[in-house]
Amino acid sequence: MILASGSPRRQEILKEVGFNFKVVVPEIEEVSKEEEPVKKILDISRKKATSVAEKCTNEYVLSADTVVVVDNKILGKPKNVEEAREYLSLLSGREHEVITAYTFMSIEKNIFLSDYSVSKVKFYKLDEETINWYIETEEYKDKAGAYGIQGKGRLLVENINGDFFSIMGFPVASFVNKLKEIGVDINEINKL
């Protein structure tokens, strides 16, 4: 299988449950004309998978994308420290959604599966000292919403309602169950 994502978190999640894969980072601009957050992230996930699958038609390709949504505004990966600070201040003391969409496909086998997971995360009220401390860890870099729940960012989180691994970057249990629905045996995941 090819993982069409450079995310170390997705790689870790998939390796831990036994998937064998090679990483091919899609060379596309991650944009969509869709406005609604779920449609937008599904569209980007599909574009990532398709861009790699068209070059590797006999392979299974898996892509994913994660965003944080608050007030119907998508918070992707912060471009700089200022944007990270803005995101963390916006999330402070509030609940937000984390949406992870994924696409699994094989052109040769005519397989196409695309789905998403929505989880809710509530942050503690963050004072300036806490935000500064977290920014200084540099953990915000390359993270949707400027935090990583699996790292030091867990100290910002009051509670979650949903799939922890989806918040981390990939809803692996849901994905495996969807694979079963399309006839892929769980015992075969290490052979994909």
Side-chain angles (χ1 to χ4, degrees):
M1 177 171 79
I2 295 174
L3 176 60
S5 170
S7 166
R9 289 152 303 280
R10 286 189 192 109
Q11 293 171 35
E12 176 187 339
I13 292 167
L14 291 166
K15 280 179 188 169
E16 285 180 354
V17 296
F19 280 97
N20 290 316
F21 56 88
K22 60 184 174 185
V23 174
V24 176
V25 178
E27 295 178 13
I28 64 161
E29 191 176 355
E30 294 184 25
V31 295
S32 171
K33 292 180 181 173
E34 297 290 343
E35 293 296 321
E36 197 273 320
V38 169
K39 289 181 181 176
K40 181 177 273 226
I41 192 167
L42 278 167
D43 185 42
I44 292 169
S45 170
R46 291 172 184 148
K47 286 177 178 177
K48 285 179 173 181
T50 302
S51 75
V52 173
E54 286 174 345
K55 296 174 188 155
C56 307
T57 57
N58 62 337
E59 299 268 3
Y60 290 106
V61 176
L62 174 63
S63 68
D65 201 36
T66 302
V67 292
V68 168
V69 179
V70 64
D71 298 334
N72 212 32
K73 177 183 177 185
I74 293 176
L75 307 182
K77 298 170 185 171
K79 296 176 188 75
N80 52 43
V81 170
E82 292 76 25
E83 193 167 57
R85 188 178 312 284
E86 176 189 329
Y87 287 2
L88 293 169
S89 296
L90 184 61
L91 298 174
S92 174
R94 303 182 62 198
E95 185 175 77
H96 59 275
E97 292 182 332
V98 179
I99 306 169
T100 298
Y102 63 85
T103 301
F104 177 76
M105 64 187 296
S106 168
I107 291 176
E108 182 180 82
K109 293 179 176 55
N110 198 29
I111 292 173
F112 183 85
L113 168 65
S114 194
D115 203 1
Y116 67 95
S117 169
V118 179
S119 301
K120 295 186 184 294
V121 178
K122 183 169 187 233
F123 267 24
Y124 285 105
K125 183 77 177 145
L126 307 178
D127 57 26
E128 191 174 331
E129 180 184 1
T130 303
I131 291 173
N132 288 337
W133 165 80
Y134 190 68
I135 296 279
E136 286 173 14
T137 71
E138 296 192 349
E139 191 176 83
Y140 70 89
K141 292 180 178 180
D142 197 40
K143 307 270 192 326
Y147 75 96
I149 196 166
Q150 72 282 0
K152 294 173 182 72
R154 71 184 76 191
L155 300 179
L156 312 177
V157 176
E158 185 173 337
N159 63 54
I160 69 169
N161 182 0
D163 182 338
F164 175 83
F165 294 102
S166 182
I167 298 165
M168 193 173 151
F170 192 71
V172 69
S174 171
F175 171 63
V176 169
N177 278 290
K178 291 287 183 185
L179 287 180
K180 285 191 222 175
E181 288 175 18
I182 64 170
V184 177
D185 185 332
I186 192 166
N187 293 310
E188 298 296 310
I189 63 173
N190 64 340
K191 297 176 186 158
L192 287 181

